[in-house]
């Protein structure tokens, strides 16, 4: 039963409705908190493979909100954000999309998140 242990300290927030999406995004905007979103699908192997990487990234950047959106569960959000392939990673600041990356490329995503966070820290400081 090793794989059955839940990780209680997940920093990735699963978005399960349009209402929760709106709530998290508006809360983050009010607090000037940057957002990184992983648009995924349970049937998409590359998306599922990126889940543990996304958890690690969330742990590495405690001042960033990490959201996970299953495109089949919350189609309206995926459509609104113009997600056409999985996985798609979207970096947002103040409600606006700052960067977008399509595909399972951990190195590139890590680079972009790091650069995004650094630019915000410099901006805020």
């Amino acid at each position: 039963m090793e794989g059955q242990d839940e990780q209680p300290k997940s920093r990735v927030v699963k978005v399960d409705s349009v209402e929760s999406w709106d709530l998290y995004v508006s809360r983050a905007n009010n607090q000037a908190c940057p957002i990184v979103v992983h648009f995924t699908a349970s049937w998409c192997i590359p998306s599922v493979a990126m889940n543990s990487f996304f958890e690690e990234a969330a742990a590495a950047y405690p001042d960033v909100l990490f959201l996970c959106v299953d495109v089949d569960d919350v189609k309206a959000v995926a459509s609104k954000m113009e997600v056409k392939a999985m996985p798609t990673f979207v970096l947002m600041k103040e409600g606006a999309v700052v960067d977008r990356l399509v595909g399972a490329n951990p190195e590139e995503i890590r680079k972009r998140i790091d650069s995004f966070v650094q630019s915000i820290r410099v901006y805020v400081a």
Side-chain angles (χ1 to χ4, degrees):
M1 297 278 204
E2 210 173 289
Q4 304 254 329
D5 292 339
E6 290 215 19
Q7 298 173 339
K9 297 201 179 218
S10 172
R11 289 213 57 256
V12 176
V13 178
K14 182 164 177 28
V15 174
D16 56 9
S17 67
V18 173
E19 294 76 20
S20 65
W21 168 264
D22 290 341
L23 176 72
Y24 291 124
V25 170
S26 97
R27 222 185 261 165
N29 292 343
N30 291 340
Q31 298 170 1
C33 176
I35 304 171
V36 178
V37 189
H38 175 198
F39 287 94
T40 184
S42 58
W43 48 263
C44 176
I45 302 304
S47 275
V48 173
M50 292 302 291
N51 288 341
S52 61
F53 161 80
F54 202 63
E55 286 284 351
E56 288 168 24
Y61 299 100
D63 50 348
V64 175
L65 174 60
F66 282 78
L67 299 176
C68 183
V69 178
D70 186 306
V71 298
D72 293 323
D73 293 345
V74 198
K75 290 182 173 94
V77 171
S79 175
K80 176 178 161 186
M81 296 302 292
E82 300 176 355
V83 173
K84 299 184 181 4
M86 277 62 68
T88 294
F89 296 88
V90 176
L91 286 62
M92 299 171 64
K93 182 177 91 175
E94 296 167 8
V97 173
V98 177
D99 198 2
R100 170 186 305 261
L101 184 69
V102 177
N105 183 340
E107 295 295 312
E108 184 62 24
I109 296 162
R110 184 174 285 120
K111 232 189 304 186
R112 296 221 198 156
I113 292 173
D114 194 50
S115 164
F116 173 59
V117 170
Q118 293 305 324
S119 73
I120 288 168
R121 286 184 181 149
V122 168
Y123 176 73
V124 170

